[in-house]
Amino acid sequence: MSSNQAGPIGAVELEAAAAALNEASFVEAANGDDDDGRSGDQGSGAGGVQVQGAHRALHEMVARGGSFSGRERNCAYLNTRDGQFAAAASAVGFDFPDDARAVVTLDYDGDGDLDVITTNRTAPRLRVLLNRSERLVGSDRTHSIGLVLESSAPGNRSAIGATVEVSLKNAPPIVRTVTAGAGFLGASSTRLTIGVGGASAVDDVRVTWPGGVAESFGPLPANGEAFTLKQGAAGSTPRERITTGFTVASPLSSTETAFEGPGCDAAVVSAYLTLPEPLPPIERNGEPYAWRDIDIEPHALHEPGSGPRVVTLWSLDCALCATELTRWKTSDATYPILALSVDDVIGAARGQKFDHARLDDFVTAWPDTGEREITFGTASYELLEALQSAVDRPFARDEDIALPATFVLDAAGRIASVHRGPVGAEVLGTELAFLSSPESEQPEKRRSRATPFQGRWLAAAPKFSAVGLARAWLDSGQARAAADLLQRAEARGEWSSDSATARPASRASAEAARLLYEAGDLPHAIEAANLTSKLRPEWAKGHFNRATILDAAGLFEEAEAAYTQVLELRARHWQALANRGWLRGRTGRKAEGLADLQQALKVLPKGVPQGQRAQLESMVQALREGRE
């Protein structure tokens, strides 16, 4: 639970007994985030806390596979030309549970028919649907003509509002209008793609330009190609034939390609990442423990200087996994692969002990062919937790890792790509070759690999923020790694104390401090708390949590100074008064301690439970009687 939910760290259950008073320490109430500089138990910020809680709950619902719109499936209706429509989404390939929003049409691949692109509320956020309807009609495929209009009207080169009338033999004319927008949050292409049935040519194309001037462009072939029609050039200049401006890397996209080979048609979904931080150190009892080899010896996932590598997760009970490993072994590529079985972790989750003899038998029987080195081992639970957090971020879903799953790491140990499902050897080879090139250190080059087609980005890549990754590591229990990540980000100047990103960074750092404190790692908890106060020097709660940790570590002088900082920000902070008073009393300054405790009683809010008031009164009495 995050710090703004669970309250500040260092909470100690107070007891009324005087003998236990020397262990007592009041901490701030947890009824708010204290962003407005006042105590949460005074009722401030309640609306903001409710909004934050609702937003968090909504985000978690979507991450678990929920939807803003009830996982609505896409619909498509066919005009039956008798005054009715027939539901045809499944027949034409539109039936996806995407909650689609914008729908636009264009000849994406330049083959003369209209394709569809949808933007969706759930993943995938963008879906490209290529029109393959000619396969349904065989050699009797329909024909089309593409037209791009260029107007001479000032400010309207795309001829928005122009009307095109296409004349055919023995058929009524076809009329289309060039528009700039259609439907919800979308605009289809201004290039008109007009189907003409079985006709191989059109008799005439008549354009009524914006402003009312009409021109005829004479007969044109209808073979699926497109032409540019310029206002004022009819009959005097040859029409310019244009070609598609897109390059299709593979059918649909390079991120949804089938695993090659007979009998294997499972799809692989890939994500190419720009993650400028390595995975957290995977340790157990302070030692590297990402995976164990066949001899049960533990190892780190990445060794400095080892270069890029491929790590795949698999199971002895996964047929696709075995097929994938066999095909990798017999391919021509030579890069090494670390193949980690998850059977040990699966068995532990089921309350069963994994029989390592099964893995030994598998490796012993492994075919000694091909050039690629495959190292076998077993993945640790800690590694799977770290990889799960890495998968959840790019796919924006809290879904368990499906097998087989393959991760490509660069030379710094950063995840460069994630492949869910069986992936071909040549895909991994291409990725490793890229990571070995200087281009791999250019964020824009990495970003371009995440797209299935060539093109131009409309904006620069968003700046990486360490906060989201730190949150993911905190959720997976990697508090030390999250704290180190935030420290590195601060050292390279990612935030300043007055920046908008300093607030979420300070919350993440405070959460890391709390978890480290609870784990007994006081030195690193202090470092995280120091960063929190540095990022938000005006945050009383941050200073209070830091003071509590310093107090627990026996650094009384620094703790007292931190409590004083809290009181300089909020003079009526009764918890800081109580803690500072008790600290002063324990360090031989009874009069100062009593003054603080009595002031704490004086400013104690009415909403504080009576039991805490009684405990505070007991602390005052203990100091008066000289009991510490």
Side-chain angles (χ1 to χ4, degrees), residues 147-149 158 160 178-180 188-192:
L147 302 173
V148 175
L149 276 56
S158 298
I160 305 302
V178 180
T179 60
S188 294
S189 173
T190 55
R191 183 173 81 181
L192 301 176

Side-chain angles (χ1 to χ4, degrees), residues 586-609:
R586 300 195 327 264
T587 55
R589 289 175 292 164
K590 187 168 96 170
E592 293 177 83
L594 280 171
D596 279 344
L597 288 169
Q598 289 168 342
Q599 180 65 14
L601 277 170
K602 184 177 180 180
V603 301
L604 199 65
K606 294 181 180 180
V608 172

Side-chain angles (χ1 to χ4, degrees), residues 120-473:
N120 310 304
R121 194 65 194 86
T122 55
R125 300 302 301 274
L126 184 73
R127 188 182 288 277
V128 180
L129 300 167
L130 298 185
N131 190 339
R132 293 292 182 258
S133 58
E134 70 271 12
R135 299 174 183 173
L136 303 178
V137 295
S139 60
D140 296 329
R141 62 166 295 176
T142 57
H143 294 262
S144 67
I145 182 172
L147 302 173
V148 175
L149 276 56
E150 291 187 9
S151 170
S152 60
N156 189 12
R157 186 173 183 271
S158 298
I160 305 302
T163 299
V164 175
E165 183 177 303
V166 176
S167 299
L168 303 170
K169 283 185 172 61
N170 304 319
I174 301 172
V175 180
R176 295 287 187 270
T177 301
V178 180
T179 60
F184 175 72
L185 295 179
S188 294
S189 173
T190 55
R191 183 173 81 181
L192 301 176
T193 300
I194 303 172
V196 296
S200 59
V202 300
D203 289 349
D204 188 26
V205 176
R206 183 176 177 82
V207 179
T208 302
W209 299 98
V213 177
E215 289 183 277
S216 292
F217 287 82
L220 289 173
N223 56 8
E225 297 187 70
F227 299 89
T228 298
L229 307 182
K230 294 183 178 180
Q231 186 174 1
S236 60
T237 305
R239 272 70 65 185
E240 297 177 13
R241 187 167 294 180
I242 64 173
T243 58
T244 177
F246 303 97
T247 298
V248 181
S250 67
L252 231 188
S253 81
S254 62
T255 58
E256 294 187 21
T257 53
F259 184 48
E260 65 283 344
C264 287
D265 57 359
V268 56
V269 179
S270 303
Y272 297 91
L273 313 181
T274 301
L275 192 63
E277 291 290 342
L279 283 170
I282 311 300
E283 298 178 344
R284 185 178 293 181
N285 299 324
E287 298 295 328
Y289 205 87
W291 64 283
R292 294 183 298 174
D293 59 26
I294 298 301
D295 297 322
I296 320 297
E297 292 296 321
H299 298 272
L301 182 66
H302 176 77
E303 298 290 348
S306 61
R309 74 183 315 174
V310 174
V311 179
T312 187
L313 304 179
W314 67 290
S315 168
L316 288 165
D317 298 321
C318 169
L320 272 179
C321 298
T323 302
E324 179 184 56
L325 289 170
T326 301
R327 292 179 181 276
W328 284 351
K329 182 66 176 177
T330 56
S331 69
D332 296 331
T334 59
Y335 51 81
I337 290 177
L338 179 60
L340 300 179
S341 164
V342 299
D343 293 291
D344 198 358
V345 176
I346 293 175
R350 296 173 177 173
Q352 303 169 354
K353 185 174 179 60
F354 173 59
D355 184 3
H356 282 269
R358 290 185 61 203
L359 181 59
D360 293 340
D361 293 342
F362 180 88
V363 175
T364 301
W366 185 250
D368 188 17
T369 59
E371 299 295 331
R372 180 180 287 103
E373 173 191 351
I374 297 183
T375 301
F376 288 95
T378 58
S380 68
Y381 174 81
E382 292 86 347
L383 174 61
L384 295 185
E385 282 287 293
L387 292 177
Q388 182 70 64
S389 67
V391 169
D392 288 344
R393 283 178 56 77
F395 291 104
R397 286 287 186 89
D398 294 341
E399 296 179 348
D400 292 339
I401 297 175
L403 300 179
T406 303
F407 301 81
V408 180
L409 276 60
D410 67 10
R414 302 173 298 190
I415 296 178
S417 62
V418 181
H419 305 271
R420 301 196 305 182
V423 60
E426 78 291 342
V427 174
L428 299 177
T430 301
E431 181 67 9
L432 289 170
F434 169 75
L435 292 176
S436 299
S437 70
E439 287 187 342
S440 66
E441 294 303 318
Q442 302 176 29
E444 290 296 339
K445 294 292 184 181
R446 285 202 177 201
R447 185 189 187 200
S448 295
R449 295 185 63 80
T451 61
F453 47 80
Q454 298 176 359
R456 182 178 63 184
W457 291 99
L458 297 179
K463 184 179 178 181
F464 170 79
S465 173
V467 177
L469 185 57
R471 280 289 179 194
W473 288 356

